[in-house]
Amino acid sequence: MRRHGDGGASAAASEADLAQLSTAIAAGEDLGPFVRRAFACGRPEPLLASLRAAARDREAEIEELCRAHFHDFIRAVDDLRSLLADADALKGSLSSSHAALLSSAAPLLASLESFLAARALAGNLSSALASSRRCVRLLALANRANAHLQAGNHNLYLALRAVDAIDRDLASGPEPLPLPTLRRMLLSLVPAVRAHAEREISREFSDWMVSIRAASRHLGQVAIGRSAAARQRQEELRSKHRPLEECITLDDDGVGDIDDFAAAAATADVADGAAAASFDLTPLYRAMHVHHTLALGERFKKYYLENRKLQLTSDFDVIAATPFLESHQVFFSQIAGFFIVEDRVFSTGGGLTSRADVDALWDSAVAKMVSVMEDNFSRMQTANHLLLITDYAALVSATMRRYGYPVGMLLDVLARHRDKYHDLLLADCRRQVVEALAADKFDQMLMRKEYEYSMNVLAFGIQSSDITPAFPYVAPFSCTVPDICRIVRSFIEDSVSFMAHGGGGDTYAAVKKYLGRILSEVVDASIQKLVDSGGGLSVSQAMQVAANMSVMERACEFFTGHAAQLCGVPLRAVERGRRDFPLRKSRDAAEALLLRLLCSKVDEFMGQSDGVNWMTDDPPPGGNEYANEVIIYLETLTSTAQQILPLPVLRRVLVAVLAHISERIVGLFLNDSVKRFNANAVTGIDTDLKMFEAFGESMSSLFVDSGQDSAANEMKAALVEARQLVNLLMSNSPENFLNPVIREKSYNKLDYKKVAAISEKFRDSSESYFSTFGTRGARQNPKKKSLDTLIKRLREAS
């Protein structure tokens, strides 16, 4: 049963495979899978049987198809046989037509062959003519290049253009040049001409580099000179319009005048700004164009920049062989000329140099100039040398600024050495002032001619009157005054020159500061040193020194105004900002010296008080001898002093001298050599004191302008201590001194101890002291009793 079942399944599988095979054959599919499967199963026989069966089926179908179409095929063969006769007839007709055509076209073919031959010949001739014209053109270009080369370097660019045309023709022509010899010659000509042009233009450029370096120095000098001329014109315009500025108010007309002045100054600055010196850049431009033509433009730019850097570096060495003071103008003008050339090259060189390249060169030059100036300024010890270099450096800065170069670092160097310059200048001025003081004999200055008056007085505004005096004229000052004025004026002008052209900042403020320094540190200190040392000065010389100080007060006003004028500051602004007299220390010292000498002289006369009879029986009718001599001396001194000393100074001196005389009179009573004195001696001192008071009152008439009454009271007050002492000694009630009210009213300048000591001397030998007040008796003298009470109370108080 199992075998029967397996056989049935196998038969069914075979039938399925045959059905699939039949389907694949009908569809025209690939039978490979069926073949592989049959051999894989080891049973190819069924497959072969199936294929044979399929072949038999196909043969049968073919036979059926052939039988179906056999009659149609026979009919087609019959149709073809009927057409064969028509085809033969057509063939004969075509043969006859062909023979007729050949016979008629034979002449035309001969003509065509002749035409083609002629056309080929014409083409060959045209090609030969074109080649000839090309060769002629190339030879003409070669001839032109040769002619340009023979004409010199001016035509090198044209020669290169001709050579470039030859090179382009040879490289881009439609066909090679038919003449190999000519082609080889031209191919060798092109690089030869280019190499020759490069050599010649390089030689010319090298010559130009040498010549432009030599011309740069002159160019810089011309440009700096024109900057100096422009600055001078501006200063002249400013000085010309300065009086107008002083008169201008804030109305519309004044504003217009100021605008006119500003416009004129601006016009002058524009007209004379840049130094447009002519210099030839043609060789440079020619070299640049030639190198561009040779496709070497970038290399030439690099070569130019490197050579200019080397030239600038060598320009820095100008100062190596000579001192900077002698070579600074060459140094600065060489650098200025160098960058003027570079500015022109940058503006017109067509990109030969860039702004970055020029700025880099300028930065290196500025760094070198700053280093050189810093080094040399630090070692300079002469103000004039520093000013000379500073002024030229300022001109260089102004010149280069007009060409657009930044000069801030250069001006900063000048500003940093402003204090050193003024310190050197102050040292020079101090030496000059000391020499002037040492050479002065302190006599009144004599001027014989008007020009001397103008040079020594009017030039410094120290005249006491606008009226020109008669000549010869004896000035109230000595020669020191105009000498010092000239020194200070020169200092101001040098300071303004430095500050205006290189100091930076507010010029007037800086100049005013340094003016204060020279007046205080130089003039005031030098005069004070002379006065403090004494220097063997006599009374008349000391008086002259004091008179000089009064004149110097007016001179200081001139100095301030002169500085403001040079700085362009209106004088009305200066007047509002005036300060105290800067020479007040030396003025006070001069007056103190004069007072010391006068007091010393007075002391000499007062020393003759030994001749005073302190126990005289009768008071001297005309006062004591010392007082008369002092009065004579003071009157003589005053007559001289009022010619040279200002009245305020004379007033202060006289008051101080009278105060000293008062102290000396009190000192006479306190002198240890005076053991006692009587009323007659007091009366004599009273007479002396009245003489001094009369002298003071007579002198007060000199001071009408400052108040005669106040002057009289001031001089009287100078003698008040001596007057109160004499009044007390001559009083009938000396004990009133003990009354506070009376003492404050009548004896407020007296000292307790001095009164006690003097009263003791007045008390001794009372019989002799008061013998003139009455005769002796049992009744005690009231004045003596009052004096005893005063002495007792003063002893108790002490």
Side-chain angles (χ1 to χ4, degrees), residues 567-589:
C567 296
V569 177
L571 291 179
R572 59 181 178 273
V574 176
E575 292 172 357
R576 287 196 299 267
R578 281 183 179 172
R579 300 183 300 171
D580 295 335
F581 180 44
L583 306 181
R584 59 184 179 278
K585 291 182 180 179
S586 56
R587 178 193 63 189
D588 295 343

Side-chain angles (χ1 to χ4, degrees), residues 311-331:
Q311 281 193 347
L312 182 60
T313 302
S314 63
D315 290 342
F316 293 157
D317 298 332
V318 171
I319 58 174
T322 55
F324 187 62
L325 181 64
E326 300 176 7
S327 60
H328 72 279
Q329 292 189 2
V330 175
F331 174 71

Side-chain angles (χ1 to χ4, degrees), residues 299-436:
R299 193 180 78 175
F300 178 72
K301 290 181 182 180
K302 183 178 180 181
Y303 177 75
Y304 172 80
L305 187 60
E306 290 177 351
N307 277 271
R308 290 296 279 171
K309 286 180 180 179
L310 291 175
Q311 281 193 347
L312 182 60
T313 302
S314 63
D315 290 342
F316 293 157
D317 298 332
V318 171
I319 58 174
T322 55
F324 187 62
L325 181 64
E326 300 176 7
S327 60
H328 72 279
Q329 292 189 2
V330 175
F331 174 71
F332 285 125
S333 59
Q334 186 74 48
I335 294 177
F338 179 94
F339 284 99
I340 291 173
V341 172
E342 283 304 308
D343 178 74
R344 182 69 62 85
V345 171
F346 173 73
S347 302
T348 62
L352 178 60
T353 59
S354 65
R355 173 53 63 186
D357 294 335
V358 177
D359 289 344
L361 290 174
W362 175 248
D363 291 342
S364 64
V366 169
K368 181 64 176 181
M369 288 188 287
V370 168
S371 174
V372 169
M373 286 193 292
E374 290 278 8
D375 178 60
N376 286 276
F377 284 172
S378 64
R379 292 185 281 108
M380 281 188 179
Q381 299 300 322
T382 304
N384 288 336
H385 295 171
L386 190 59
L387 177 61
L388 184 65
I389 297 174
T390 299
D391 185 67
Y392 203 79
L395 287 174
V396 172
S397 300
T399 302
M400 301 317 296
R401 184 191 290 115
R402 291 177 181 177
Y403 285 92
Y405 293 100
V407 295
M409 292 181 64
L410 295 178
L411 297 179
D412 289 344
V413 173
L414 304 183
R416 284 197 298 272
H417 289 82
R418 181 174 66 185
D419 287 338
K420 176 170 183 179
Y421 167 73
H422 284 90
D423 288 341
L424 294 176
L425 197 59
L426 287 172
D428 289 344
C429 293
R430 182 179 292 106
R431 175 183 53 78
Q432 296 174 22
V433 169
V434 170
E435 291 176 355

